[in-house]
Amino acid sequence: PGLLNKSFSMSVHASAPINAERAMYFSLGDAFYKCGTDSSGVEAPSTQWFIAEGHASATFSEYILLSNPNPSATTATIRFLRPSGPVITQDYTLTPNSRKTIYVNQVPGLEYTDVSASITATQPVVAERSMYWPGQWGEWYEGHNSTALSAIGTSWGLAEGETGGSRNTVSYILMANPTDQDAAVTVTIFRDNNQAPLLVTRTVRANSRLTLPSTELGLASGETFGALVRSTNGVPIAVERAMYWDSA
């Protein structure tokens, strides 16, 4: 009662250890449950969160969702990291025991760009990132979602990846560097059928976002792969992987 047609966050408390996930589905016209997203819960709120993936444009609608489970107001500061250009910083007030929805497309300077985010808050909060496409609300029929990362690091593993093939799949490795020092990154690509790994090097500039598409990995069309992403000069980064393919 009280939640129908409402946006909301939640806190789950149990008397013994449990696992919690949240799944969402929506319909488009006569297409029942045309799109859905799912994400695991996080074990605890935090005063810092990092989001590597994000894109705002006429095609993609991006949202950052913040939950304030505290009995007092909290200020969240988001530093938006772009492939180039200065960091865009915005402060948001989260009222007590509330949910805040940030439509990234409407943040000045982020109307058409890849974007990552570094979030700090005056009290522990929970953060997620959702993206839907194509177009605006009422047109969407695809989407994906992920909880934010509570820490950055120098080594990240990705088990899933595919490129080309009959569905024209493209996988993207998204890297965010919220620090003031460039990160020297080596990506090791692990292949099927006992093929030798491939090495790709990139520099993720300070306070920026870098996108590495599978089309730049030297793989044959239709190959599946995993990846190890390492910052070789000790600068911590955040990493995610996104995959897209033809729907027809």
Side-chain angles (χ1 to χ4, degrees), residues 6 12 15 32-34 51 56 190 202 222 232 244 247:
K6 303 292 183 181
V12 181
S15 58
F32 184 64
Y33 279 9
K34 180 68 174 179
I51 298 171
F190 301 106
R202 291 291 188 273
T232 57
Y244 302 93
S247 59

Side-chain angles (χ1 to χ4, degrees), residues 7-160:
S7 297
F8 62 91
S9 299
M10 68 187 80
S11 296
V12 181
H13 302 273
S15 58
I18 62 170
N19 186 36
E21 288 188 50
R22 184 263 311 131
M24 284 174 52
Y25 306 93
F26 58 84
S27 304
L28 181 67
D30 294 332
F32 184 64
Y33 279 9
K34 180 68 174 179
C35 177
T37 65
D38 175 89
S39 186
S40 296
V42 297
E43 293 184 2
S46 175
T47 56
Q48 63 176 12
W49 294 99
F50 304 93
I51 298 171
E53 165 68 312
H55 181 84
S57 69
T59 301
F60 289 89
S61 296
E62 181 186 354
Y63 296 86
I64 292 178
L65 305 320
L66 300 176
S67 174
N68 177 19
N70 302 290
S72 56
T74 298
T75 298
T77 299
I78 304 182
R79 300 173 66 246
F80 294 99
L81 314 177
R82 297 176 292 173
S84 62
V87 173
I88 294 175
T89 303
Q90 295 282 330
D91 292 327
Y92 299 92
T93 298
L94 283 60
T95 56
N97 295 305
S98 72
R99 137 83 176 266
K100 182 77 170 181
T101 301
I102 299 160
Y103 185 28
V104 176
N105 297 51
Q106 292 182 343
V107 176
L110 301 180
E111 294 86 357
Y112 202 107
T113 184
D114 292 335
V115 59
S116 301
S118 174
I119 303 167
T120 56
T122 55
Q123 297 186 88
V125 298
V126 176
E128 292 188 43
R129 183 265 311 143
S130 291
M131 288 169 57
Y132 301 98
W133 66 91
Q136 308 299 311
W137 167 253
E139 303 172 315
W140 302 331
Y141 54 79
E142 295 288 358
H144 56 56
N145 165 277
S146 180
T147 55
L149 302 167
S150 59
I152 50 180
T154 57
S155 183
W156 296 93
L158 301 168
E160 169 73 312

